[in-house]
Amino acid sequence: MKLHIKNGRLVDPKNGVDRPVDLFIAEGRVAGFGAPPKGFSAERVIDASGLVVAPGLVDLAARLREPGLEYKATLESEMLAAVAGGVTSLACPPDTDPPLDEPGLVEMLKRRAASLNLARVYPVGALTAKLEGERLTEMAELRDHGCVAFSQADVPLPDTQLLWRALQYAATFGFPVWLRPQDPHVAKGGVAHDGEVATRLGLPGIPAFAETIALGTILALVRVTGTRVHLCRLSAGDSVEMVRAAKREGLAVTCDIAAHHLHLSDMDLGYFDSHAHVVPPFRSQRDRDRLRAGLADGTIDAVCSDHTPVDEDAKQLPFGESEPGTTGLELLLPLTLKWSQESRLPLPQALARVTSDPARILGVDAGHLAVGAPADVCIFDPESYVKIASGTLRSQGKNTPFLGYELPGVVRYTLVAGEVRYEAGG
Amino acid sequence: MHNPQLNAKGELAHLLTLEGLPREIIVNILDTAASFVGVTERDVKKVPLLRGKSVFNLFFENSTRTRTTFEIAAKRLSADVINLNITTSSTQKGETLLDTVDNLSAMHADMFVVRHAQSGAPHMIARHVGPERHVINAGDGRHAHPTQGLLDAYTIRHYKHDFGGLSVAIVGDILHSRVARSLIHVLNILGTPDVRVIGPQTLMPAGVESLGVRVCHDMREGLAGVDVVVMLRLQSERMRGPLLPSAQEFFKYYGLTPDKLAAAKPDAIVMHPGPMNRGIEIDSAVADGPRSVILPQVTFGIAVRMAVMSILGGS
Amino acid sequence: MPLPDAEALCAELVKKLRPAVTPETAMVGIHTGGAWLAERLHRELGLTVPLGRLDISFYRDDYHKSGLHKSVKASQIPFEVDGRRILLVDDVLYTGRTVRAAMNELFDYGRPESISLVVLVDRGERQLPICAQYCGATHAVPKGAMLRLHRDDRGQLALRLDNA
């Protein structure tokens, strides 16, 4: 379709664009700016007055719950949630049921996602068979079938020896490995950040050093193997400092945090609110402040949703028994905007963390709008507020500690490959 | 954040934790308990306050002692008592906690006494049943044991009268203890200036000072000049493993013997929530000695629970 | 109409009661006004059995409506109730519910041989079939007002009309 998006404020962080200019789309790609390309005749005109026209969001972690966990959510509902949230590309972790450790499973997921014609899905393959941490997966085979990286999701590796060998094997082929740093022994049994709040509430704690110890181990191994490692869902202020030092040293590491960690701390557990039960846990306010600073200065490369739909039954349990996780696809943009407003960051700098920066980590041509780029676009109103309510969330996961919050940023249109895949009020 | 224990009129609708309760409410419970002590000392130990009301004991964690004292307290208020030992009933068949509560509410339960292994379970139940039915926390995970905290406060008040100048030491496994947490909260609310926790580092929770206590790892130093010594029970699972090497070494450094007790004031009282592990956290000579008020604690416990139930039942 | 003089009524009651008391007579006052009155009568009559005091908070019939009263005092009955002739003392007799609760509570202590009710003032408006055997005076009270006995620092008794 030939589309003309007029009167919008184009913000394209990668190409340093932030100005009012019209956008022209043809054959699924960006065809031109300002004036229509020669011979262009629009089939549809979108008036983006007062709206921001940005690249579609790139989300590094969104659980779609297929295969195997369809009672929590389905591909249909979650892909609709994605485009409703302005997300046009997403990576899904391998912790499905069964885990994504076989080419056949990866193929099936890609085919199912493609058939829905909504956001683009990039599967992250399992690092070890069944995620059990004993045997490496056929990474090269999985890569050939579409895996963009390899990960253990939230399942910690019990064995440093295996972690070392897995990193070496991945480095052989130049494959990226995505790891959430967590020492399984120190963290065992814990459900909340080990600090004053957990002590008051009587909840078993996960100390911050469960993350930094594992992070130190990973960094030491990366120095030797040279593997491209992406660190997932940092939660501790000390981790940010370690990554800053590692980058200064020249190690090829990147990292992300989950959008909810930008705003909440262990104080938000309140009276045992299981919607605040997440992994990694919300840590202290000081940790949160250091994460915010790290994202602002670029030590932390990207923000993701860590989208994890959980059925209400699994949340309506005492805190320690409840299933951790929060729905996130529809909150990624609002939470990022809220952070950028509170930190007084220019919009392009904030949007980079959910567009061009995650695209770079994913290694795909996304998150930007140069001429010829795929026309994945998110058009949103930065002045309007969205009230987070289970009635209006499209995801089957209504589990979020932000229920009732009013957050900035209402998505009006989402385009994938030049087609409108979401339209507000439509 | 609205305190889920208080109703719109600021009255106590549930007793879930002592943390955050206004001083007046706590003092009122203790004063009411004093009246009930009188009732327990006469021949007819009943009063008709809760006649026609049903109290359901929902114990997800086994405890014959605590369940029995709640049962006695409820019966002395003329309530009907139903005991549910959940480990053997419907939740084994997969019924959720809240479904169980809903079914019991449909059977006209007025009051739930809940003990659960998970911190926060009574809060969840209280949110679910609303202020018309009353929930009493009989112990949830490591979080709180409010009636124990109240009876401990009652005991201290009985023997020492004024909290204003007191020094209280709590000894043992603070990390896992809901009794310790509840006692610390009530002592702070009642204005106790010096509350100490004594134990090895492995048994101290993170940031425990933020609860308003001083940490001592040396028992003699920690007991110096205290008016009240509260010994916590050490669970057998903790005695040998990553937290402690052996019961013997624990007793040598943290068990209460006459010799260590000598560091405290000459008229200091010794308390224990029970059941005691003689020879592990407390020496028999002390447990059976003249400073021990462990048995009166049990009597006071019934009066305190009667007070809590009658105050909740009337709100 | 002016309120009766509490001191004068007290003296009246002492006169009326004196012929009825024996060394075994027991007296119980209902907190708070009845207990003050009982303390005075007990002393003036020279009773030898120790004075009992009742707090009826746990026996009231309005618990489900109004909840537990604040500042519950302890009841003390320092004598054997079984077979005893008891003078139950209250300051103002009104609906009769307080006396009903007090009798229920007394019966939880034992089985008295008899209970006689002693009141300073009967204001009428009974809701239960209860009457006083010894009464200082009757006095009608306007709607919405409460007639109460007060005691000052010197122990002087006085009746006052408070708003409910």
Side-chain angles (χ1 to χ4, degrees), chain A residues 194-196 199-204 270-272 316-321, chain B residues 1-4 19 118-120 123-124 127 142-143 181 205-206 210-211:
Chain A
D194 195 33
E196 295 173 8
T199 290
R200 262 197 309 109
L201 294 179
L203 292 171
Y271 294 107
F272 303 97
Q316 290 272 47
L317 289 169
F319 192 93
E321 285 175 357
Chain B
M1 207 177 297
H2 168 66
N3 190 327
E19 187 184 3
Q118 286 286 334
S119 302
H123 269 81
M124 198 181 89
R127 265 198 293 269
R142 308 175 186 180
H143 171 238
R181 283 170 178 77
S210 70
L211 295 179

Side-chain angles (χ1 to χ4, degrees), chain B residues 82-145:
Chain B
I82 289 99
N83 288 314
L84 285 132
N85 190 359
I86 306 291
T87 47
T88 56
S89 77
S90 23
T91 40
Q92 289 280 54
K93 300 176 199 154
E95 187 180 60
T96 68
L97 174 55
L98 292 183
D99 279 342
T100 304
V101 170
D102 282 341
N103 285 331
L104 297 175
S105 297
M107 294 181 212
H108 302 292
D110 297 291
M111 209 172 277
F112 291 103
V113 177
V114 180
R115 169 169 283 204
H116 201 287
Q118 286 286 334
S119 302
H123 269 81
M124 198 181 89
I125 294 175
R127 265 198 293 269
H128 190 70
V129 299
E132 298 307 310
R133 298 201 159 70
H134 309 290
V135 176
I136 298 178
N137 182 4
D140 64 330
R142 308 175 186 180
H143 171 238
H145 196 351

